[in-house]
Amino acid sequence: MKGLPKGFKSIGGIEAERIERARQVFFELFAGYGYRLLLPSSVQLFGPCWECLSGEVRSRIVSLGTPSGETGCLRPDLTLAAVSYLSSHYAPEERPLRVCYADRVYRIPSPPDNDVEYFQIGAELLGWESEGADIELLTLLLKTLDALDVKENFIVIGDVTILSSLLKEMPESSSLALREALTRRSFSSFREILDRAPIPESLRRPLEELPYLRGGAEVLERATKVLPKNCSTGSVRNLVEALAVSGFKDRVLVDLSIARELDYYSGPVFEVFCGSHGRPVGGGGRYDGLLSSFGVLGQAIGFSLNLDLLLYGDTSSISKPLTVMSWPGDLRPERAMRMAAELAACGVPVEMSWIDQRNRSIELARRRGYRWWTDLSDGSIFDLEKNTLIERADWSPEGGRT
Amino acid sequence: MKGLPKGFKSIGGIEAERIERARQVFFELFAGYGYRLLLPSSVQLFGPCWECLSGEVRSRIVSLGTPSGETGCLRPDLTLAAVSYLSSHYAPEERPLRVCYADRVYRIPSPPDNDVEYFQIGAELLGWESEGADIELLTLLLKTLDALDVKENFIVIGDVTILSSLLKEMPESSSLALREALTRRSFSSFREILDRAPIPESLRRPLEELPYLRGGAEVLERATKVLPKNCSTGSVRNLVEALAVSGFKDRVLVDLSIARELDYYSGPVFEVFCGSHGRPVGGGGRYDGLLSSFGVLGQAIGFSLNLDLLLYGDTSSISKPLTVMSWPGDLRPERAMRMAAELAACGVPVEMSWIDQRNRSIELARRRGYRWWTDLSDGSIFDLEKNTLIERADWSPEGGRT
């Protein structure tokens, strides 16, 4: 059983600590704004609302037979799990509801990816009828990126109703092909399909322009010139302006060609980028339509971030714990544990060293990269950096001699 | 998709917060003793070491086909995942290794249980050749129960080598039946099998006595009288005495009839009880044999606790956050978010209320059970308990007027 199945991995060491730290920073931030933790079931049933997922996502679901004979799947998504939970556990008068989560999701990888299993953090805000909700969630998303110290991060805001409105009068085959090309961000395919599809001239120009409607707030000026009157950019404009006032001007871009799972989202959508990743490390948007398929009327907005991508290349050191390798000498183990507990109670992390030989214990402390080693039987502390012995009374874990 | 498959559940609200709090308390305690976090893969492959699991556990595995066509299973156990990870990621000279984890495990339920999915916390210590390791792990286990404030908790220590040694000279059919009866803690079946099995007289008396070898340290006196000379109770005695010295005398019992998965464990074993649960909420022991099936020589000890059982009936209140329901009044949302961030920065949790009507916002704050409501546009604070308005400058979240 040494090997795991292809696409699955166990995570330990500093990588696990980074994920755990991100999880806690994220929960603390969102708890401060009234979001409550959700631990969604790992396995979900297929159901009508799966229609909301794009064919691409549906084809990537990992299915399994449950012990009671139902056909389920490893959760491909935490939003569906959250909405399902909230719609069945809370009465309408308890809304709005705010939840956050950090957990694994599972999707069959598309090449060149290999991972089936990865970590997401995310939040959902259900039931407010106001743009305040959108601004709240995007503000907290940007604060999350700051709190996690994500380098060169920015978000790109679009609105799926613009694309939907342009496509709705076209033959379904062209419409699907165009969406699919935009989803893949393949502007050359998009252009090819446009060139050979029977498209009314009034729609051709706006569609040809769409891939260029990406950039700073000035894109919105251009959009009002090239898009038909029924394609409103008002929601995007409000968000961009509000986030600029909130101090995020340089980190908010516009992209009206975002084709983020159209059957799922139904308003403003956004994608998150950082560092050298060419593709989004997360995203989200308004999904009022999805919500109504759960029998809940109202507005919903959420986001999720792929922690593996977000923390990839995170070279920030987790400050090395000042662990003291603790050797019992001739003490009985239970006595040694009490001495160690005294150190631990002062906030000094210890690692017990049950080996008989003093020199082998010191050697192991060096291999671990620890600075301090102690003989619990006489309280002496050995500074492995300076090769000197210090009395316990003269010692502090940060700097050596007090 | 409102329903989840039978046996699976999403956990929110206070129950999720209890699990998260337990997780953090546990990690903090173990990090203080040099244990590192492991996030084991959710899906594992079947492999030779599965032979170490009892037939009972093996029959409860939830299998699935992985995307790459392998036959895997949802992890039924975190110890196997941890040992597999450690044996393949660390060189022998890096041992001993200490890991801890808090994650879901999955087993097909035996009636009357229904849950397939539940939460475990646990730790493993691999590679020390000393009883110090056993004492360390049991001490930290008892400290965990204290830190989690688990009511009326105690542990029961046994040693599977005693039962193995008594059974090894018996015909396999009787031996298996006796083990199985002890595993189910069905002493009447155990006695019936004994009565009709062809058992040498020299073994009959010790086996008949076994179910009575449960109680305080005095059990060990009795054991030396009734057990054959080759059944050593030395390991159990050392542990019981060491834990008594460490202040855990009243919480450590002996039970030499514990038949905890014999093919898996190979020395001292223990079970954890608490409150009104008649069955163990966790347990563990030495599994040197299992370790060697991963090609690792040496000693290994670990434990796991079922968090669902441990926290079941936990009525300790999670101290209610002093959340301030924050209403923007006539402020723009982005301005309201900045005011809220100032409160949050002072450690005051807020929940934004984007509703237009002041009175409906106050009503929602009451429904949430909050004491404080604020109009961010004028900084006034409303005390929902006393029905009085307070100026922001005169207010503190704990007590009202400063």
Side-chain angles (χ1 to χ4, degrees), chain A residues 321-326 343-344 347-351 397, chain B residues 31-34:
Chain A
L322 296 158
T323 306
V324 178
M325 182 66 90
S326 302
L343 280 169
V348 178
V350 297
E351 180 177 346
Chain B
Y33 286 86

Side-chain angles (χ1 to χ4, degrees), chain B residues 252-325:
Chain B
V252 176
L253 295 176
V254 173
D255 184 350
L256 300 184
S257 70
I258 295 180
R260 200 176 165 79
E261 300 184 25
L262 293 197
D263 298 322
Y264 189 120
Y265 291 107
S266 48
V269 290
F270 46 89
E271 292 182 335
V272 182
F273 292 83
C274 71
S276 56
H277 291 295
R279 55 186 178 151
V281 295
R286 282 275 289 276
Y287 54 87
D288 311 359
L290 172 64
L291 194 62
S292 73
S293 76
F294 282 90
V296 182
L297 295 179
Q299 177 180 311
I301 183 167
F303 76 84
S304 65
L305 294 168
N306 178 329
L307 263 193
D308 306 62
L309 289 177
L310 209 63
L311 303 179
Y312 176 84
D314 174 4
T315 51
S316 69
S317 60
I318 292 212
S319 64
K320 203 174 180 64
L322 296 158
T323 306
V324 178
M325 181 66 90

Side-chain angles (χ1 to χ4, degrees), chain B residues 26 37 53 77 99 218 290 303 309:
Chain B
F26 172 69
L37 177 62
L53 295 174
D77 176 294
V99 289
E218 70 284 357
L290 172 64
F303 76 84
L309 289 177

Side-chain angles (χ1 to χ4, degrees), chain A residues 83 87 92 95-97 125-131 133-134 264-268 285-302, chain B residues 360:
Chain A
V83 174
S87 66
R95 285 172 210 139
L97 299 167
L125 200 175
L126 270 68
W128 280 122
E129 315 291 339
S130 139
E131 62 172 329
D134 301 348
Y264 189 120
Y265 291 106
S266 48
R286 282 275 288 277
Y287 55 88
D288 312 0
L290 172 64
L291 195 62
S292 73
S293 76
F294 282 90
V296 181
L297 296 179
Q299 177 180 311
I301 183 166
Chain B
R360 283 189 55 203

